[in-house]
Amino acid sequence: MSSELVRQVQAVLADAGFGPDSGLTAQSDGAAVIVAWHPDRLIRPTIAAHATDPEVHAAAAITGIRTALETALTSVFLSAGLVPLPQPDGFIRVTATPTG
């Protein structure tokens, strides 16, 4: 079931516009899939381009973006009939909807 759920989560992400260049990863974790965001490839060029700006450090934390992404992904997974559970560490644990 786990590899099937990983493929389902990847398809849901792709259908929602979160392709391979989005920085999102989906990996199996038992009966769940862990979805995490790794923005380094996306934000590193911006930070490098604005390294002399004193506000760059604050912008690099991207707290608001992480919250918006978590909200969007939660909505996407719920709409697909999956069960997302945001974790304090910044990733989302996704499981299939229980049947029965």
Side-chain angles (χ1 to χ4, degrees):
M1 171 65 171
S2 185
S3 61
E4 180 181 321
L5 184 57
V6 170
R7 285 190 296 277
Q8 183 181 4
V9 166
Q10 290 170 332
V12 166
L13 289 170
D15 288 347
F18 295 103
D21 293 333
S22 67
L24 290 171
T25 58
Q27 69 181 52
S28 177
D29 184 43
V33 173
I34 300 298
V35 177
W37 185 45
H38 308 280
D40 289 351
R41 277 189 309 157
L42 304 171
I43 64 168
R44 192 174 304 276
T46 302
I47 291 171
H50 301 283
T52 59
D53 185 340
E55 299 297 318
V56 167
H57 185 6
I62 56 178
T63 304
I65 294 173
R66 287 188 179 278
T67 300
L69 180 62
E70 179 181 294
T71 300
L73 290 175
T74 297
S75 176
V76 164
F77 292 131
L78 287 171
S79 293
L82 297 171
V83 180
L85 182 59
Q87 302 294 300
D89 294 345
F91 60 87
I92 298 176
R93 185 176 175 83
V94 181
T95 58
T97 303
T99 57

